[in-house]
Each structure stands twice: as C-alpha cells, then as structure tokens.
Amino acid sequence: MDDLHAAAPAEGNWGRWGEDDERGAANLLTPEAILAAVGTVREGRLLSLGMPIRGSTSGLARASVPHLPGRPLPQHFMSIDGADYQAGARLMDGVIGVADDALMISHHGTTTHMDALCHMWRGEALYNGHSAARVRSYGATRCGIEKAGPLVTRGVLFDVPAHLGVPHLDESVRIGADLLRDVAKEQAVTLRPGDVAVIRTGWPTVYEVDRARYQGGQPGLSHDGGLWLADHDIAAVACDNAAVGALAMDGSFDAGPDDDLHLLLLWSRGVYLLEMLWLEELARAGRHEFLFVAAPLAIEGGTGSAVNPVAVL
C-alpha cells in the first residue's frame, strides 16, 4: 500500500481492517450482523427507497425528478423501438420484436446513489492512506465502488420531521447529535455496529412545489451529528437530501474541510454515503427498524453507483 499514513486523521478507521483495506465500514457486515438484520422482518413487505431515473429526453424529466442544478441528467436512448417496426424494420423470424436501449448516468446529484470511498479525499491520500494519484482518468484504482459489495444489514430510520411535527425540514435546519438523540429516544431506536442510519428530512417533497427552493440550500447533518452516528460503528448513512450534510443557499457544502461530512464519513471512517433516497412511504409505514438492502453496480474504479435501496419490513 502507498505509505501515506502521516496524513491519517486523528480518529478514524485507517488500518483497522488492514493496511490494504479498500472496503471500509462494509467490513462490519458480518454474517452475525446480517442474520440479526434479517430478524427485523415481520411482514415480508418491500418498499423501494429509490428515485425514478428519467432520461432528460423524456419531456417531463427536468420538472419531475429532484436533482441539483448544473449536473447532467440521465440520458436514455433507444437503438430500436416500436416506431421503427411501424416504419418497416424487420421483425425477427417475421414475428418477434425487440427494443434495445442505452442509459448514461452521472449519478452524483441526479438520482439515488451510493458514494464510493474514493469519491472525496483530503490532501494526497484516499481512505486508509491510499494515494490520491490512484484516481486516474479511467477510474479509481483504489477504493472504487466495486470494492464495497452489497449492503445487506439493519436499517434504522431517524424521522426528523415527524419528531419536530413538520412535513419537511426547513433549509436552515442542521441535524446535530442532540437532535438525533432526541429522535432516537422518541422513536425507541438504537444503533448497532454495521447498521445503516437512514435520515429523513422530507426535502425531496419540496421539489414538487418549489423547484428553485429545492435547488438552493438544503437541510442536513451537521458535523457533530455525523460524528455521533460514526461513533456507533455504522456501515453507512442514507439520506433523502442531496449531500447528507447540509447545503448553503448557493448550493455549496455548508462546511469547511474540518467539518465536512464527506471527509468525516467517507475519508476518515470509511462509512458509505447514500444520497437522494425517497423515504416518504417508509415514514408513513411507521417502521423505524427494518432489513436494508442496496447493491451498487460493480463499476470498476467507479466513484459511486446509482442504486435502488429496498426496505424489507
């Protein structure tokens, strides 16, 4: 491994799972943790926690799916479609039609996705001291999303708007440790090693009524809120806002390097981030403990992957 441990954060998980580790907190997903998570299933009911992916060539895509401004929306193309057959394209064996498509996604800021440990770093080192020079023009040769593997574990919902008695948080709200403790107490939830902390802000519902407001500032975790979660040895944080941490009114990260949530969780602790989830049905279900399943695409060297997380109730 590249010897960059001089840049290691004072409190983090670097070296915890070996000097060559590229999986981070996914190492906490032991057979015991997974079996315990399966024990939360009571109804056998599935809820998708992912946003729809609509190509920007679909007329209503820009107005119907939350996304950050300036990010390229998914592009969805058909190489052959029904109209081609109407125009005279030949059916296979004279009777069989087929439709082929191509989808291009820049998932950060445009759809439900999971960040890889190579997505952000500080100085010259990725998570665990791997050299940032390993992030090449063709992808990251260290800590890519393919190293994470599927997340199958216990999900714990922190429904912050429900605790505060509002449909969604205001963009000024910063979710700190004290607020998380209060939510956990009211909703009778506790975190265990390997869990995914699922944080609802309700912010995606704002896009439906005020697109400009959605694309400005956003509520989110503060540094001490993220630290409180990380200190419980979680595997991931999943949030319905665009960046887990809060965004300032100009859409930028609402924290400097010392307080940045991506650096704290991805870089220092090896804790994965899932962003832009849809948590409204889960909130209405009233379940704060469930089996959480999310499998990123095994994109070699990918800085993240679109995902469709599932809550099994």
Side-chain angles (χ1 to χ4, degrees), residues 6-308:
E11 294 183 6
N13 282 326
W14 291 23
R16 177 177 176 182
W17 296 288
E19 291 189 351
D20 294 325
D21 176 54
E22 300 178 58
R23 295 190 67 219
N27 286 289
L28 295 167
L29 303 184
T30 63
E32 294 77 14
I34 295 170
L35 288 172
V38 171
T40 65
V41 178
R42 302 172 194 166
E43 306 170 49
R45 183 157 60 107
L46 304 177
L47 288 180
S48 171
L49 308 180
M51 296 277 191
I53 297 175
R54 293 194 180 103
S56 64
T57 50
S58 301
L60 297 178
R62 291 185 181 275
S64 60
V65 182
H67 62 276
L68 292 180
R71 305 294 178 95
L73 287 170
Q75 302 288 312
H76 191 187
F77 303 99
M78 305 294 290
S79 63
I80 188 169
D81 59 30
D84 293 312
Y85 293 109
Q86 293 293 321
R90 291 186 178 182
L91 294 167
M92 291 191 299
D93 296 326
V95 294
I96 301 173
V98 60
D100 287 342
D101 61 358
L103 180 65
M104 295 184 290
I105 304 175
S106 176
H107 39 266
H108 298 291
T110 66
T111 192
T112 308
H113 65 280
M114 176 173 164
D115 288 345
L117 299 186
C118 64
H119 177 48
M120 287 182 67
W121 64 89
R122 184 167 185 165
E124 299 179 357
L126 306 175
Y127 162 77
N128 208 33
H130 296 285
S131 172
R134 296 288 188 172
V135 181
R136 307 291 176 83
S137 60
Y138 51 84
T141 61
R142 296 291 185 274
C143 300
I145 194 64
E146 80 279 11
K147 303 296 174 59
L151 300 181
V152 180
T153 188
R154 178 175 172 258
V156 176
L157 174 65
F158 290 78
D159 193 343
V160 184
H163 171 73
L164 297 177
V166 296
H168 61 78
L169 301 183
D170 185 79
E171 52 265 62
S172 64
V173 173
R174 304 298 180 256
I175 304 169
D178 288 343
L179 181 52
L180 289 172
R181 289 189 192 98
D182 290 344
V183 174
K185 182 177 180 180
E186 181 189 41
Q187 297 173 180
V189 294
T190 57
L191 287 170
R192 301 195 296 246
D195 284 348
V196 172
V198 181
I199 313 296
R200 176 176 174 258
T201 69
W203 194 248
T205 63
V206 172
Y207 193 83
E208 301 170 5
V209 295
D210 193 337
R211 194 186 321 172
R213 183 182 179 191
Y214 176 90
Q215 294 183 331
Q218 293 196 10
L221 282 175
S222 68
H223 182 269
D224 82 310
L227 186 61
W228 184 82
L229 293 173
D231 283 345
H232 284 81
D233 233 7
I234 57 173
V237 178
C239 197
D240 59 356
N241 68 357
V244 176
L247 295 180
M249 292 307 296
D250 64 357
S252 63
F253 285 121
D254 190 34
D258 293 338
D259 294 321
D260 185 86
L261 264 293
H262 281 65
L263 293 181
L264 169 66
L265 296 170
L266 290 173
W267 180 71
S268 175
R269 300 298 184 100
V271 171
Y272 290 88
L273 302 181
L274 291 89
E275 298 164 333
M276 303 183 72
L277 278 71
W278 180 257
L279 301 176
E280 300 309 298
E281 279 74 30
L282 180 61
R284 285 192 282 271
R287 285 284 301 275
H288 300 285
E289 178 189 54
F290 47 90
L291 178 64
F292 181 95
V293 181
L297 298 174
I299 305 167
E300 292 190 355
T303 63
S305 170
V307 291
N308 182 25

